[in-house]
Amino acid sequence: MVDRNSETLFSLIPSVDKILSHPRIHCVLNEYSSTIVKNIVASILNDMRGSIKKNLLTPVDLNLDAVVDRIVKAVAHRLGSSLRTVINATGVVVHTNLGRSPLSRKVVDRIVEVAMSYSNLEYDLEQGKRGQRNAHLRALIEELTGAESVLAVNNNAAAVLLAIGTLAKGKEVIVSRGELIEIGGSFRIPEIMAQSGAILKEVGTTNRTHPGDYIQAINENTALILKVHTSNYRIIGFTREMSFDELVLIGRQYNLPTMMDLGSGCLVDLSPAGLPDEVTVQEVLAKGIDVVSFSGDKLLGGPQAGILVGKKELIDRMASNPLARALRMDKLTLAGLEATLQEYASMSGPRLSIPTLAMISKTPEELMIVAERISLDLNSLLEGKVKISVEKGAGRVGGGALPMSDLVGPRVSIKPTGFSAARLENSLRQGIPPVITMVKDDCVLIDPRTLLDNQTEMIVGLVVNAFDRVMNSNERG
Ligand SMILES: *Cc1c(COP(=O)(O)O)cnc(C)c1O
């Protein structure tokens, strides 16, 4: 039964005509399809009727402006951009949840150029006939890594799947127990192996693997020896892992191909940036490993991609696997990847021109200047409401790379006096653009390392706004 009270409320719901002739809805209709907007209006009115029945609404909620406000917000929520740019103040350079590597203007311009035109994507201009999309990367990769051939696919998970599926379907792949890793977002070596149709042959123990373990595991059904970069964790203490030399020796002795899933795919020595442990793609190939796979958007600093490099005979087999067609990279990625690799061959090198490498290369001294300016500005704008200090903290490269190597640099630490750091962190996320921060010991931390060009100026205003939002919601109760 609908009671008297609800009946009165029902009669207060503004008519569709009234709503559609409201000036704010006019603006909305100038931007969006009228059919879709009308559907949203109908669904909101329907929701309101439901809420009235449950006694959840009062007359104030039903006045025209309030209803229109709800509709405008719903339209923005449902039809506006869901994928938005954010400011990464976490200091984690290769942050998978935040889109990994940002691209430079130069690389993006190449993508736009190719996107807006026809191209010789699969067309051989000399012969005037069909060409190969992967041929575009071949010469550059050969110069940069010494690889005989290259095949680029959608991402590194796809590259590993394709390589194993091609080289070892129905056969055994030997992997050390210490390398059976899971990378965030459900990439697990044993599962990829199962998907590829290969049989995982685990050897050694979690912390120690010897050449004898591999040799014992080899039988007539063995097809591949795989080594995996442990990317996001490290085993320390009493450990032994196989060296490249040992793997290559066994591979040659038993006539088995060797492969390394390198994860990050670093092409430059990062020890000047304080990261001495990362082996480069060209080093692994020079050791004699037959196939190396790596991501395009981790330490390489390019678009999302999976890159397979190595022996021509093996790469050719992968390229002619029907799976390669299903996993192929699109032309925009190819344009971005080629432009990224060109930076590595440029006179000035990639260290400044590739944003990911530029961020990793920032020195604590450079960062200290930025941190102190942010701290000073915040101190003067939020005087008495917060405790701000600059602490020497440690950022991380993140994204499945260099988990134990900290990028040392300062961080601005903000401790609100009237409320928790968690509330400030939340409010920062609601900003335009949203700011993503870390909270530690009830302080919001801002790491200047991952702030892009003009964001160091913006961030002060955004923190003040976020602060005001919390204060206002406190006052409203
Ligand atoms: C990151 C990573 C992958 C997955 O690469 P994506 O490009 O994210 O698909 C696979 N293997 C290792 C060792 C990795 O670090």
Side-chain angles (χ1 to χ4, degrees):
M1 264 312 276
V2 175
D3 60 33
R4 290 293 300 240
N5 183 29
S6 318
E7 246 168 68
T8 340
L9 286 177
F10 278 130
S11 70
L12 290 177
I13 297 177
S15 72
V16 172
D17 283 343
K18 256 208 177 120
I19 291 171
L20 291 179
S21 52
H22 192 280
R24 287 184 71 197
I25 300 294
H26 268 239
C27 287
V28 168
L29 286 169
N30 277 334
E31 197 174 343
Y32 296 107
S33 145
S34 65
T35 316
I36 299 178
V37 171
K38 281 175 190 165
N39 282 344
I40 292 176
V41 170
S43 113
I44 297 258
L45 294 184
N46 205 28
D47 284 354
M48 294 188 112
R49 283 184 210 105
S51 300
I52 289 173
K53 281 186 203 152
K54 292 184 201 145
N55 278 324
L56 295 173
L57 294 184
T58 62
V60 200
D61 300 316
L62 295 171
N63 77 45
L64 183 61
D65 285 331
V67 174
V68 164
D69 197 58
R70 240 176 110 155
I71 291 166
V72 170
K73 282 192 179 131
V75 168
H77 185 67
R78 298 186 69 82
L79 306 182
S81 302
S82 168
L83 181 61
R84 293 190 287 156
T85 56
V86 305
I87 294 180
N88 175 8
T90 64
V92 180
V93 178
V94 180
H95 197 307
T96 297
N97 300 153
L98 304 184
R100 293 197 181 156
S101 289
L103 302 178
S104 68
R105 166 61 57 192
K106 200 164 149 198
V107 168
V108 170
D109 282 348
R110 274 296 293 156
I111 295 176
V112 170
E113 200 182 318
V114 170
M116 294 182 72
S117 173
Y118 292 106
S119 61
N120 63 341
L121 178 65
E122 290 185 357
Y123 190 76
D124 185 327
L125 291 172
E126 269 167 41
Q127 309 277 331
K129 58 178 197 198
R130 199 194 146 105
Q132 290 175 336
R133 118 181 7 221
N134 266 287
H136 299 289
L137 299 172
R138 214 164 278 154
L140 250 176
I141 281 283
E142 192 183 319
E143 292 302 332
L144 294 173
T145 69
E148 286 176 13
S149 195
V150 55
L151 175 61
V153 290
N154 191 40
N155 54 37
N156 189 33
V160 175
L161 178 71
L162 176 61
I164 298 174
T166 306
L167 303 179
K169 191 168 186 169
K171 303 204 158 176
E172 291 180 4
V173 180
I174 305 178
V175 189
S176 160
R177 286 206 168 82
E179 296 171 4
L180 294 176
I181 53 157
E182 172 180 320
I183 312 279
S186 70
F187 174 89
R188 289 172 156 198
I189 288 292
E191 284 166 17
I192 290 279
M193 199 77 77
Q195 278 298 324
S196 73
I199 303 152
L200 172 64
K201 185 91 180 183
E202 304 172 29
V203 296
T205 59
T206 305
N207 56 330
R208 288 174 73 86
T209 309
H210 304 267
D213 298 329
Y214 282 74
I215 292 168
Q216 256 180 30
I218 294 173
N219 60 46
E220 68 290 342
N221 205 28
T222 306
L224 178 67
I225 298 175
L226 175 67
K227 186 169 172 62
V228 183
H229 192 302
T230 52
S231 295
N232 53 6
Y233 88 111
R234 204 127 297 181
I235 300 170
I236 52 172
F238 184 54
T239 65
R240 185 192 191 286
E241 70 171 313
M242 293 283 286
S243 72
F244 292 118
D245 289 332
E246 288 169 333
L247 283 178
V248 169
L249 205 66
I250 295 172
R252 296 218 172 123
Q253 211 169 344
Y254 293 86
N255 201 20
L256 290 169
T258 50
M259 170 171 168
M260 168 92 196
D261 171 11
L262 203 45
S264 272
C266 189
L267 292 186
V268 291
D269 176 16
L270 289 177
S271 46
L275 303 171
D277 295 334
E278 195 64 11
V279 64
T280 63
V281 175
Q282 53 272 37
E283 279 166 357
V284 179
L285 288 171
K287 287 281 184 191
I289 296 285
D290 297 315
V291 176
V292 176
S293 81
F294 55 98
S295 292
D297 54 355
K298 290 182 181 171
L299 289 181
L300 192 72
Q304 179 190 304
I307 303 154
L308 288 154
V309 295
K311 292 265 153 58
K312 181 170 184 319
E313 187 258 324
L314 301 174
I315 301 284
D316 283 353
R317 276 169 63 194
M318 295 174 203
S320 49
N321 184 334
L323 201 52
R325 171 63 181 81
L327 303 174
R328 80 177 181 195
M329 67 166 24
D330 79 303
K331 62 179 180 179
L332 307 189
T333 307
L334 182 57
L337 186 57
E338 185 186 41
T340 300
L341 292 170
Q342 282 171 328
E343 292 296 347
Y344 283 86
S346 73
M347 186 264 285
S348 49
R351 237 176 271 273
L352 292 176
S353 56
I354 291 187
T356 297
L357 292 181
M359 287 188 263
I360 289 172
S361 306
K362 284 181 191 167
T363 64
E365 296 74 33
E366 275 173 78
L367 293 166
M368 186 53 98
I369 296 170
V370 181
E372 289 199 316
R373 204 174 67 224
I374 294 173
S375 151
L376 268 176
D377 290 352
L378 282 177
N379 247 328
S380 69
L381 288 165
L382 293 172
E383 215 195 321
K385 300 179 204 160
V386 287
K387 274 188 11 215
I388 292 174
S389 57
V390 174
E391 60 170 47
K392 253 205 164 165
R396 281 183 294 144
V397 182
L402 315 171
M404 307 301 280
S405 328
D406 285 333
L407 287 169
V408 176
R411 295 192 288 208
V412 183
S413 161
I414 309 169
K415 189 176 173 64
T417 44
F419 49 85
S420 71
R423 287 193 69 192
L424 182 58
E425 183 273 340
N426 180 311
S427 179
L428 278 162
R429 271 189 278 122
Q430 314 310 319
I432 301 170
V435 183
I436 313 301
T437 55
M438 300 224 245
V439 172
K440 199 183 123 209
D441 302 333
D442 205 31
C443 292
V444 167
L445 300 179
I446 292 182
D447 191 324
R449 184 182 296 277
T450 41
L451 300 180
L452 301 171
D453 298 339
N454 57 346
Q455 293 176 349
T456 39
E457 281 87 52
M458 280 169 75
I459 199 125
V460 172
L462 288 164
V463 172
V464 173
N465 288 348
F467 201 88
D468 289 346
R469 274 194 298 276
V470 179
M471 296 297 273
N472 287 339
S473 78
N474 274 356
E475 273 161 32
R476 271 187 267 118

